[in-house]
Amino acid sequence: MSFESFIKQESARVDEVLAAYFEKGEHPDIDQYLYGPLAAYSANGGKRHRPLICELACGAVGGDAALASAAAAAIEHFHTAALIHDDIADESTLRRGNPCLHLTQGEGLAINAGDLALSLVTGSVLDDDRLDDTTKIRVLNELVFMTTRTIEGQALDIGWARDGRFDLTIEDYLTMATRKTAYYSGGTPLAVGAIIGGGTEEQIETLRSFGMACGLAFQIQDDLLNLIGSKEASGKDFRSDITEGKRTLVAVHALQHSPQSSELAAILASHTTTATMLSCAVEIMQEAGSIDFARDYATGLVNKAKAELSTALPESDAKKLLLSMAEFFIVRMN
């Protein structure tokens, strides 16, 4: 089975696991103002690859994948919280084709819902009676580290936007994106799954490294699809990264290498939604070779990670699916 087929098959099951965490409050208005909106937001959750790769890592080291379900849910709860808060910080209007939570519920209630999702990150693990206390502490330590790194990356992203910073290097971008995305989208889910599965320290660290590379490639892939993805072109948030002035790898490379860098910086700073201006920015990036650079960089990350994982783990269906995940990223970028 390919990874794409796997996530299509399993995402509904993950949805059911996550929905169980959004209990109704003791007062009906608690459900109206908190659990209901958060449950609806979480239900529009995308592919659920983060919890699924956590379970796969558990199985890949010989463990029972079902034992990782609560920790996997915790990581997805963090993702939900991060998106809610990120949309407020970026003044975004759409999330996966639907109005952002702060627009439908108001900023205060949206922040509050995101805070509840954050509390579920630790609560999901603490309440799991299938894990011993030593494993819980180690998993929680991983989740705290992941949360801190992600917040650091978000601080860089927001701060650069606030201060109009366009003097960034590729290394600056990689520092930001690794923290903001790679830990919680790849490195931590795989390390946590391997810990719960009883993997060796070498296996845990190999899976973490594989996940970090794939997580960073995942972010670069999303940046590329926002600019040139054929499916994304039909959505209202197509090329929203330009409108929001995001410092993506493509943008940073173009700002360093394009003779039209000043024009590109002006477009990124303008928050334009005009199609012709958005197209102009993409043309500048393409002519600078920045889109090809980002695609090649992400592909190189994934290929290196696949080679390392191939030799570190015994053969299993879970390992094959993880390798297929890496290949899936490359196919989407091309």
Side-chain angles (χ1 to χ4, degrees):
M1 181 185 297
S2 70
F3 183 72
E4 186 174 11
S5 299
F6 173 72
I7 58 178
K8 287 179 180 177
Q9 173 182 294
E10 297 294 323
S11 60
R13 174 182 60 81
V14 176
D15 287 344
E16 292 180 4
V17 172
L18 293 168
Y21 287 92
F22 305 117
E23 301 175 353
K24 293 183 181 295
E26 295 180 1
H27 189 285
D29 286 347
I30 297 177
D31 185 51
Q32 177 183 348
Y33 297 137
L34 179 60
Y35 290 108
L38 183 57
Y41 186 91
S42 176
N44 183 31
K47 298 177 179 62
R48 305 298 194 195
H49 90 267
R50 295 168 185 84
L52 287 171
I53 63 173
C54 181
E55 294 177 355
L56 284 176
C58 184
V61 298
D64 179 0
L67 292 178
S69 62
I75 294 166
E76 192 68 4
H77 291 320
F78 177 80
H79 179 52
T80 295
L83 293 183
I84 292 170
H85 291 161
D86 195 40
D87 285 342
I88 294 169
D90 290 343
E91 299 180 351
S92 300
T93 59
L94 290 174
R95 173 62 64 180
R96 299 193 183 101
N98 290 340
C100 293
L101 194 65
H102 65 275
L103 296 181
T104 61
Q105 301 298 318
E107 191 169 295
L109 287 176
I111 292 171
N112 201 50
D115 291 345
L116 175 61
L118 281 177
S119 78
L120 291 173
V121 176
T122 52
S124 300
V125 176
L126 288 172
D127 293 340
D128 187 358
D129 57 11
R130 299 169 301 173
L131 301 180
D132 60 71
D133 288 348
T134 300
T135 302
K136 285 183 181 180
I137 290 171
R138 186 164 182 187
V139 169
L140 289 173
N141 184 60
E142 291 283 344
L143 295 177
V144 169
F145 186 83
M146 171 196 77
T147 301
T148 304
R149 299 291 83 74
T150 307
I151 292 170
E152 288 176 348
Q154 180 74 332
L156 291 175
D157 199 22
I158 295 172
W160 290 340
R162 185 198 69 180
D163 293 344
R165 293 282 302 280
F166 293 110
D167 59 335
L168 307 172
T169 66
I170 289 170
E171 285 304 315
D172 290 329
Y173 167 83
L174 294 174
T175 297
M176 180 275 292
T178 296
R179 283 161 170 74
K180 183 175 177 178
T181 302
Y183 280 99
Y184 89 89
S185 290
T188 300
L190 292 182
V192 164
I195 289 167
I196 293 171
T200 66
E201 292 305 313
E202 181 183 1
Q203 289 173 332
I204 292 167
E205 293 311 312
T206 298
L207 279 161
R208 186 196 308 279
S209 177
F210 175 80
M212 292 297 290
C214 288
L216 182 54
F218 178 81
Q219 180 60 61
I220 296 169
Q221 171 210 67
D222 264 12
D223 295 344
L224 286 167
L225 292 175
N226 186 269
L227 295 175
I228 60 174
S230 56
K231 180 179 179 181
E232 286 73 9
S234 61
K236 292 182 180 179
D237 53 353
F238 183 54
R239 294 180 173 169
S240 59
D241 285 354
I242 300 173
T243 300
E244 295 171 15
K246 285 189 176 294
R247 278 64 172 171
T248 64
L249 182 59
V250 179
V252 170
H253 183 274
L255 287 166
Q256 283 189 320
H257 295 89
S258 173
Q260 297 173 278
S261 59
S262 297
E263 183 178 352
L264 177 59
I267 295 173
L268 291 170
S270 71
H271 302 294
T272 182
T273 58
T274 304
T276 54
M277 294 296 289
L278 298 177
S279 294
C280 179
V282 172
E283 288 174 9
I284 292 172
M285 294 172 184
Q286 286 175 323
E287 290 172 1
S290 303
I291 289 174
D292 288 340
F293 171 81
R295 184 185 288 114
D296 291 345
Y297 191 93
T299 300
L301 280 172
V302 170
N303 285 335
K304 183 174 183 293
K306 284 174 60 181
E308 292 174 352
L309 188 69
S310 294
T311 59
L313 295 177
E315 293 303 317
S316 67
D317 289 341
K319 175 183 173 180
K320 291 175 183 176
L321 283 168
L322 289 173
L323 291 171
S324 176
M325 173 190 73
E327 187 63 33
F328 173 63
F329 288 167
I330 295 175
V331 169
R332 286 192 76 201
M333 286 186 294
N334 291 283

